[in-house]
Amino acid sequence: MRRTRIPRAALAVLLLLGAGATAATTPVTAEEKAPASAGLLTAMQRDFGLTRQEAETRLAAEKQATALEPVARKAVGDSYGGSWFDADRGALTVAVTPGTSAGTLQDIRATGAAVRTVAHSARELAATQARIDKLPAPDAVSSWHVDQKASTVVVNVVGGRQGDNDVRDFLARARAAGPVTVREVASAPTTFAAGTVGGDPYYTGNVRCSIGFSVHGGFVTAGHCDQHTGSVYGWDRSYVGNFQGSSFPGDDYAWVNVGSGWWTVPVVLGWGTVSDQLVRGSNVAPVGSSICRSGSTTHWHCGTVLAMNETVNYSQGAVYQMTKTSVCAEPGDSGGSFISGDQAQGVTSGGWGNCSSGGETWFQPVNEILNRYGLTLHTY
């Protein structure tokens, strides 16, 4: 971890929950807003085209939606069709299947969420995705995920390749698995590791990647960064530790122990673009929420959560249960931090495009890494 001074204040949104209150109908007061760093608010204004007040209000609304989501999911039960943050309304939307009882709908609205009726339950769509996960996918099939708003599994195919024989065969088998929609994307995904070139990274073998989040005893990062050479070196080329576990493909996570004079702190580097951000937990931000990424190549960028539990078809093999975002990234950013407000979300895996022309990036959710290795996130 880079030597850095912990800031005096970091992003924290005060959440006030009340039965029947929604972000759309209940204004966010000054007391509810976080003492968000000026740098973070500047980045959101730049990347989302918001005013400072709009950025503060959105952060508070997203914090509220993140807390409401598990409550609403429990209230719906088997009729649950998914949920997402509606940036236009500033509130959580919960999808339900036809025939949901009036009492259940009342329970959902009592949590502060809006309601939308969809054709398929989240369980049905997850089962469809699981069946597709078992199919061998050609390179031109970029990824597939459950689109809760459209109540379908979206299969993304590289533009101009739908006519390929192997793609046509895959799509026919995918459609037989359940409700499927095919969309065209600009490019196939790649991971964001890079050769040794300077910056503020960590190094292993001939690869440069980025630190994700501090855990007690080390840090988490992307699994594809593990070159199985043993030692890991920090931004100043001093010895940090070793990979203690990694998985790629299938998953894309790893963790590195820290010693030899290095220590862990619960911050995400802002690279001078924003203040370093304190990490206070790892509550999952819903689809539609704003999210920011820190990496050793392109530093700090923000975007939106586009999809969860997406299967990404890299050339090395498929990786499951990834989260897709509109945030850009470039080689060397792999393993870096995705954070929403003060909540850790995941580590950068791969994507397409760059930070000049734009693109999309996937991250490996951090909670899966913590659970897999029995790690504890270092929080403030």
Side-chain angles (χ1 to χ4, degrees):
M1 174 64 71
R2 184 178 186 178
R3 280 67 169 170
T4 184
R5 183 164 56 89
I6 300 176
R8 295 180 179 178
L11 179 64
V13 179
L14 301 178
L15 174 64
L16 301 180
L17 295 178
T22 70
T25 59
T26 304
V28 179
T29 66
E31 289 75 16
E32 290 176 285
K33 293 179 182 177
S37 72
L40 174 58
L41 295 173
T42 298
M44 292 188 67
Q45 291 173 69
R46 177 198 67 197
D47 292 340
F48 289 105
L50 303 175
T51 66
R52 181 185 178 91
Q53 182 177 357
E54 288 170 340
E56 290 177 336
T57 299
R58 175 161 177 165
L59 285 171
E62 288 175 351
K63 191 77 170 183
Q64 188 176 50
T66 297
L68 285 175
E69 192 277 336
V71 178
R73 179 191 293 262
K74 183 177 180 180
V76 178
D78 292 341
S79 298
Y80 181 72
S83 60
W84 57 90
F85 178 76
D86 186 333
D88 292 332
R89 292 183 62 254
L92 187 73
T93 297
V94 177
V96 299
T97 55
T100 303
S101 70
T104 298
L105 296 177
Q106 184 177 2
D107 289 342
I108 300 170
R109 293 189 176 99
T111 68
V115 178
R116 178 188 292 184
T117 301
V118 294
H120 305 284
S121 70
R123 183 177 298 176
E124 290 177 282
L125 295 174
T128 298
Q129 182 177 10
R131 288 188 284 269
I132 297 174
D133 284 345
K134 296 178 181 179
L135 303 177
D139 291 343
V141 176
S142 170
S143 62
W144 51 96
H145 71 276
V146 171
D147 184 334
Q148 298 171 335
K149 291 183 182 180
S151 198
T152 185
V153 175
V154 174
V155 177
N156 296 300
V157 179
V158 176
R161 300 289 300 277
Q162 287 194 42
D164 292 3
N165 289 335
D166 54 354
V167 173
R168 292 170 62 185
D169 179 65
F170 177 87
L171 293 178
R173 298 174 68 185
R175 290 186 175 103
V180 164
T181 300
V182 179
R183 292 179 184 167
E184 186 175 288
V185 295
S187 180
T190 60
T191 55
F192 286 128
T196 300
V197 293
D200 193 10
Y202 73 86
Y203 300 90
T204 177
N206 65 345
V207 163
R208 168 171 66 85
C209 281
S210 302
I211 292 172
F213 293 95
S214 289
V215 296
H216 290 286
F219 65 82
V220 295
T221 187
H224 71 264
C225 293
D226 184 2
Q227 300 298 293
H228 305 287
T229 56
S231 299
V232 172
Y233 300 89
W235 63 276
D236 60 354
R237 299 301 190 130
S238 66
Y239 173 73
V240 174
N242 293 77
F243 279 95
Q244 299 298 303
S246 67
S247 178
F248 180 79
D251 310 291
D252 195 5
Y253 51 59
W255 83 281
V256 175
N257 68 317
V258 167
S260 303
W262 289 74
W263 63 91
T264 63
V265 290
V267 301
V268 172
L269 295 176
W271 299 96
T273 301
V274 301
S275 301
D276 293 349
Q277 302 298 304
L278 287 179
V279 178
R280 297 185 184 274
S282 57
N283 294 328
V284 178
V287 169
S289 299
S290 63
I291 193 166
C292 297
R293 179 193 56 74
S294 180
S296 64
T297 299
T298 58
H299 299 173
W300 187 270
H301 287 273
C302 299
T304 303
V305 178
L306 299 177
M308 293 181 178
N309 297 321
E310 182 155 19
T311 302
V312 182
N313 189 35
Y314 292 126
S315 61
Q316 300 94 329
V319 179
Y320 307 101
Q321 297 181 325
M322 303 286 275
T323 299
K324 180 165 67 176
T325 76
S326 63
V327 187
C328 66
E330 295 181 11
D333 287 328
S334 277
S337 320
F338 266 92
I339 189 167
S340 181
D342 56 6
Q343 299 296 305
Q345 299 298 307
V347 299
T348 304
S349 174
W352 60 269
N354 55 56
C355 289
S356 296
S357 59
E360 295 176 338
T361 301
W362 287 269
F363 67 78
Q364 166 75 59
V366 69
N367 286 332
E368 183 179 355
I369 313 175
L370 302 177
N371 293 334
R372 170 63 180 83
Y373 295 116
L375 301 170
T376 301
L377 190 68
H378 191 171
T379 58
Y380 181 78

PDB file of all heavy atoms in Angstrom, residues 256-271:
ATOM      1  N   VAL A 256      -3.026 -10.810  -1.334  1.00  0.00           N
ATOM      2  CA  VAL A 256      -1.578 -10.739  -1.102  1.00  0.00           C
ATOM      3  C   VAL A 256      -1.342 -10.386   0.360  1.00  0.00           C
ATOM      4  O   VAL A 256      -1.991  -9.471   0.889  1.00  0.00           O
ATOM      5  CB  VAL A 256      -0.938  -9.659  -2.011  1.00  0.00           C
ATOM      6  CG1 VAL A 256       0.542  -9.495  -1.699  1.00  0.00           C
ATOM      7  CG2 VAL A 256      -1.163 -10.016  -3.487  1.00  0.00           C
ATOM      8  N   ASN A 257      -0.456 -11.119   1.027  1.00  0.00           N
ATOM      9  CA  ASN A 257      -0.111 -10.747   2.400  1.00  0.00           C
ATOM     10  C   ASN A 257       0.836  -9.551   2.392  1.00  0.00           C
ATOM     11  O   ASN A 257       1.543  -9.295   1.416  1.00  0.00           O
ATOM     12  CB  ASN A 257       0.525 -11.923   3.149  1.00  0.00           C
ATOM     13  CG  ASN A 257       1.899 -12.278   2.604  1.00  0.00           C
ATOM     14  OD1 ASN A 257       2.104 -12.308   1.398  1.00  0.00           O
ATOM     15  ND2 ASN A 257       2.843 -12.553   3.488  1.00  0.00           N
ATOM     16  N   VAL A 258       0.837  -8.787   3.466  1.00  0.00           N
ATOM     17  CA  VAL A 258       1.634  -7.567   3.561  1.00  0.00           C
ATOM     18  C   VAL A 258       2.550  -7.650   4.774  1.00  0.00           C
ATOM     19  O   VAL A 258       2.115  -8.018   5.862  1.00  0.00           O
ATOM     20  CB  VAL A 258       0.725  -6.320   3.670  1.00  0.00           C
ATOM     21  CG1 VAL A 258       1.517  -5.090   4.075  1.00  0.00           C
ATOM     22  CG2 VAL A 258       0.020  -6.066   2.340  1.00  0.00           C
ATOM     23  N   GLY A 259       3.816  -7.326   4.567  1.00  0.00           N
ATOM     24  CA  GLY A 259       4.794  -7.317   5.646  1.00  0.00           C
ATOM     25  C   GLY A 259       5.992  -6.479   5.245  1.00  0.00           C
ATOM     26  O   GLY A 259       5.884  -5.576   4.415  1.00  0.00           O
ATOM     27  N   SER A 260       7.139  -6.758   5.827  1.00  0.00           N
ATOM     28  CA  SER A 260       8.403  -6.116   5.450  1.00  0.00           C
ATOM     29  C   SER A 260       8.311  -4.590   5.494  1.00  0.00           C
ATOM     30  O   SER A 260       8.807  -3.895   4.606  1.00  0.00           O
ATOM     31  CB  SER A 260       8.842  -6.569   4.050  1.00  0.00           C
ATOM     32  OG  SER A 260       8.964  -7.974   3.996  1.00  0.00           O
ATOM     33  N   GLY A 261       7.684  -4.069   6.560  1.00  0.00           N
ATOM     34  CA  GLY A 261       7.598  -2.621   6.714  1.00  0.00           C
ATOM     35  C   GLY A 261       6.402  -1.984   6.056  1.00  0.00           C
ATOM     36  O   GLY A 261       6.171  -0.785   6.205  1.00  0.00           O
ATOM     37  N   TRP A 262       5.617  -2.763   5.296  1.00  0.00           N
ATOM     38  CA  TRP A 262       4.383  -2.246   4.712  1.00  0.00           C
ATOM     39  C   TRP A 262       3.238  -2.452   5.692  1.00  0.00           C
ATOM     40  O   TRP A 262       3.270  -3.337   6.540  1.00  0.00           O
ATOM     41  CB  TRP A 262       4.077  -2.967   3.398  1.00  0.00           C
ATOM     42  CG  TRP A 262       5.003  -2.591   2.290  1.00  0.00           C
ATOM     43  CD1 TRP A 262       6.300  -2.977   2.133  1.00  0.00           C
ATOM     44  CD2 TRP A 262       4.704  -1.750   1.182  1.00  0.00           C
ATOM     45  NE1 TRP A 262       6.827  -2.436   1.001  1.00  0.00           N
ATOM     46  CE2 TRP A 262       5.867  -1.675   0.391  1.00  0.00           C
ATOM     47  CE3 TRP A 262       3.566  -1.061   0.770  1.00  0.00           C
ATOM     48  CZ2 TRP A 262       5.935  -0.933  -0.780  1.00  0.00           C
ATOM     49  CZ3 TRP A 262       3.623  -0.323  -0.402  1.00  0.00           C
ATOM     50  CH2 TRP A 262       4.795  -0.262  -1.167  1.00  0.00           C
ATOM     51  N   TRP A 263       2.198  -1.645   5.557  1.00  0.00           N
ATOM     52  CA  TRP A 263       1.031  -1.777   6.416  1.00  0.00           C
ATOM     53  C   TRP A 263      -0.213  -1.485   5.604  1.00  0.00           C
ATOM     54  O   TRP A 263      -0.127  -1.002   4.470  1.00  0.00           O
ATOM     55  CB  TRP A 263       1.135  -0.825   7.618  1.00  0.00           C
ATOM     56  CG  TRP A 263       1.148   0.627   7.244  1.00  0.00           C
ATOM     57  CD1 TRP A 263       0.072   1.452   7.126  1.00  0.00           C
ATOM     58  CD2 TRP A 263       2.291   1.414   6.923  1.00  0.00           C
ATOM     59  NE1 TRP A 263       0.466   2.708   6.760  1.00  0.00           N
ATOM     60  CE2 TRP A 263       1.838   2.718   6.633  1.00  0.00           C
ATOM     61  CE3 TRP A 263       3.678   1.161   6.875  1.00  0.00           C
ATOM     62  CZ2 TRP A 263       2.693   3.754   6.285  1.00  0.00           C
ATOM     63  CZ3 TRP A 263       4.530   2.194   6.528  1.00  0.00           C
ATOM     64  CH2 TRP A 263       4.044   3.464   6.235  1.00  0.00           C
ATOM     65  N   THR A 264      -1.369  -1.787   6.159  1.00  0.00           N
ATOM     66  CA  THR A 264      -2.631  -1.563   5.450  1.00  0.00           C
ATOM     67  C   THR A 264      -3.401  -0.425   6.104  1.00  0.00           C
ATOM     68  O   THR A 264      -3.373  -0.250   7.322  1.00  0.00           O
ATOM     69  CB  THR A 264      -3.510  -2.829   5.469  1.00  0.00           C
ATOM     70  OG1 THR A 264      -3.863  -3.157   6.812  1.00  0.00           O
ATOM     71  CG2 THR A 264      -2.776  -4.001   4.835  1.00  0.00           C
ATOM     72  N   VAL A 265      -4.079   0.347   5.275  1.00  0.00           N
ATOM     73  CA  VAL A 265      -4.946   1.421   5.760  1.00  0.00           C
ATOM     74  C   VAL A 265      -6.249   1.387   4.970  1.00  0.00           C
ATOM     75  O   VAL A 265      -6.262   0.988   3.803  1.00  0.00           O
ATOM     76  CB  VAL A 265      -4.281   2.809   5.613  1.00  0.00           C
ATOM     77  CG1 VAL A 265      -3.139   2.962   6.596  1.00  0.00           C
ATOM     78  CG2 VAL A 265      -3.796   3.034   4.192  1.00  0.00           C
ATOM     79  N   PRO A 266      -7.368   1.784   5.581  1.00  0.00           N
ATOM     80  CA  PRO A 266      -8.674   1.674   4.919  1.00  0.00           C
ATOM     81  C   PRO A 266      -8.978   2.856   4.006  1.00  0.00           C
ATOM     82  O   PRO A 266      -9.944   3.594   4.211  1.00  0.00           O
ATOM     83  CB  PRO A 266      -9.639   1.631   6.109  1.00  0.00           C
ATOM     84  CG  PRO A 266      -8.972   2.468   7.142  1.00  0.00           C
ATOM     85  CD  PRO A 266      -7.491   2.207   6.982  1.00  0.00           C
ATOM     86  N   VAL A 267      -8.150   3.048   2.979  1.00  0.00           N
ATOM     87  CA  VAL A 267      -8.366   4.160   2.065  1.00  0.00           C
ATOM     88  C   VAL A 267      -8.236   3.706   0.620  1.00  0.00           C
ATOM     89  O   VAL A 267      -7.600   2.690   0.319  1.00  0.00           O
ATOM     90  CB  VAL A 267      -7.354   5.314   2.306  1.00  0.00           C
ATOM     91  CG1 VAL A 267      -7.458   5.837   3.726  1.00  0.00           C
ATOM     92  CG2 VAL A 267      -5.928   4.876   2.001  1.00  0.00           C
ATOM     93  N   VAL A 268      -8.867   4.474  -0.258  1.00  0.00           N
ATOM     94  CA  VAL A 268      -8.705   4.325  -1.701  1.00  0.00           C
ATOM     95  C   VAL A 268      -8.043   5.595  -2.205  1.00  0.00           C
ATOM     96  O   VAL A 268      -8.494   6.705  -1.907  1.00  0.00           O
ATOM     97  CB  VAL A 268     -10.067   4.115  -2.397  1.00  0.00           C
ATOM     98  CG1 VAL A 268      -9.915   4.153  -3.913  1.00  0.00           C
ATOM     99  CG2 VAL A 268     -10.683   2.794  -1.959  1.00  0.00           C
ATOM    100  N   LEU A 269      -6.963   5.439  -2.967  1.00  0.00           N
ATOM    101  CA  LEU A 269      -6.194   6.592  -3.427  1.00  0.00           C
ATOM    102  C   LEU A 269      -6.989   7.447  -4.405  1.00  0.00           C
ATOM    103  O   LEU A 269      -7.633   6.939  -5.321  1.00  0.00           O
ATOM    104  CB  LEU A 269      -4.902   6.121  -4.104  1.00  0.00           C
ATOM    105  CG  LEU A 269      -3.892   5.398  -3.196  1.00  0.00           C
ATOM    106  CD1 LEU A 269      -2.713   4.903  -4.029  1.00  0.00           C
ATOM    107  CD2 LEU A 269      -3.420   6.306  -2.086  1.00  0.00           C
ATOM    108  N   GLY A 270      -6.910   8.751  -4.196  1.00  0.00           N
ATOM    109  CA  GLY A 270      -7.596   9.688  -5.079  1.00  0.00           C
ATOM    110  C   GLY A 270      -6.696  10.287  -6.138  1.00  0.00           C
ATOM    111  O   GLY A 270      -7.170  11.001  -7.022  1.00  0.00           O
ATOM    112  N   TRP A 271      -5.390  10.025  -6.042  1.00  0.00           N
ATOM    113  CA  TRP A 271      -4.434  10.438  -7.064  1.00  0.00           C
ATOM    114  C   TRP A 271      -4.394  11.941  -7.289  1.00  0.00           C
ATOM    115  O   TRP A 271      -4.038  12.404  -8.361  1.00  0.00           O
ATOM    116  CB  TRP A 271      -4.726   9.749  -8.393  1.00  0.00           C
ATOM    117  CG  TRP A 271      -4.630   8.271  -8.313  1.00  0.00           C
ATOM    118  CD1 TRP A 271      -5.640   7.385  -8.124  1.00  0.00           C
ATOM    119  CD2 TRP A 271      -3.440   7.480  -8.391  1.00  0.00           C
ATOM    120  NE1 TRP A 271      -5.172   6.103  -8.088  1.00  0.00           N
ATOM    121  CE2 TRP A 271      -3.816   6.140  -8.255  1.00  0.00           C
ATOM    122  CE3 TRP A 271      -2.092   7.788  -8.575  1.00  0.00           C
ATOM    123  CZ2 TRP A 271      -2.900   5.094  -8.281  1.00  0.00           C
ATOM    124  CZ3 TRP A 271      -1.181   6.747  -8.602  1.00  0.00           C
ATOM    125  CH2 TRP A 271      -1.576   5.417  -8.463  1.00  0.00           C
TER     126      TRP A 271
END
